[in-house]
Amino acid sequence: MKLKILHIFIIVFFLLIGISYNNSQAYPIVLFISETIKKNVENDFAFSISFEGLNFNLLLLELLIVLIFMLWSLVVKNNILKLISVVCMFCLWLKNFVFLDWIINSSIYFWSSLPYLILTIIYIFILVKRIKKT
């Protein structure tokens, strides 16, 4: 039960990571997701994967896939699958930190990610310990 709560907190803290691009105010990832979906609805779902005009559809797709995988692994009682989902989310975080350096403020992204990173490390440690026991 404690592991499920930790899993949920990891998802919540990931969604609360602040993103600031072009020196604007920092907004949480969850707001980025809702604004990108809103923009797609207004444009009749004219989905494009280019970064032209700050089109974030590809980033939104990555986020949604990882979040759905995280939620699905929460329901499944398989520690290896949970470990894979958390590692996938961390890889997405790392990819955004490294490859979006040209547009986001990396220091805000990193410092707002500390609760997520700490919980992720604790969660991975607990899962690896449980997997070794079995």
Side-chain angles (χ1 to χ4, degrees), residues 109-130:
Y109 186 74
F110 177 77
W111 290 110
S112 65
S113 299
L114 281 182
Y116 160 74
L117 293 172
I118 291 168
L119 287 180
T120 300
I121 291 168
I122 293 169
Y123 191 73
I124 289 172
F125 178 74
I126 292 170
L127 281 175
V128 167
K129 197 173 176 182
R130 281 191 178 187

Side-chain angles (χ1 to χ4, degrees), residues 14 17-23 29 32 36 49-51 54-60 62-63 91-110:
F14 182 81
I17 293 173
I19 295 180
S20 169
Y21 63 94
N22 292 337
N23 296 321
I29 288 177
F32 163 78
T36 306
I49 59 171
S50 70
F51 284 108
L54 296 180
N55 182 357
F56 296 116
N57 288 327
L58 189 58
L59 296 173
L60 175 67
E62 291 173 342
L63 279 168
C91 288
L92 178 66
W93 178 89
L94 187 63
K95 185 222 35 120
N96 289 340
F97 184 70
V98 173
F99 292 119
L100 295 180
D101 187 31
W102 61 277
I103 193 165
I104 67 171
N105 186 332
S106 297
S107 64
I108 291 174
Y109 186 74
F110 177 77

Side-chain angles (χ1 to χ4, degrees), residues 11-44:
I11 295 170
V12 169
F13 283 131
F14 182 81
L15 291 173
L16 294 177
I17 293 173
I19 295 180
S20 169
Y21 63 94
N22 292 337
N23 296 321
S24 67
Q25 180 182 353
Y27 295 101
I29 288 177
V30 70
L31 187 62
F32 163 78
I33 291 171
S34 66
E35 288 296 317
T36 306
I37 291 173
K38 179 182 166 188
K39 185 177 179 182
N40 282 325
V41 169
E42 290 171 354
N43 294 330
D44 296 325

Side-chain angles (χ1 to χ4, degrees), residues 55-73:
N55 182 357
F56 296 116
N57 288 327
L58 189 58
L59 296 173
L60 175 67
L61 188 62
E62 291 173 342
L63 279 168
L64 291 177
I65 289 170
V66 169
L67 287 172
I68 290 170
F69 186 47
M70 281 289 290
L71 291 172
W72 181 64
S73 69

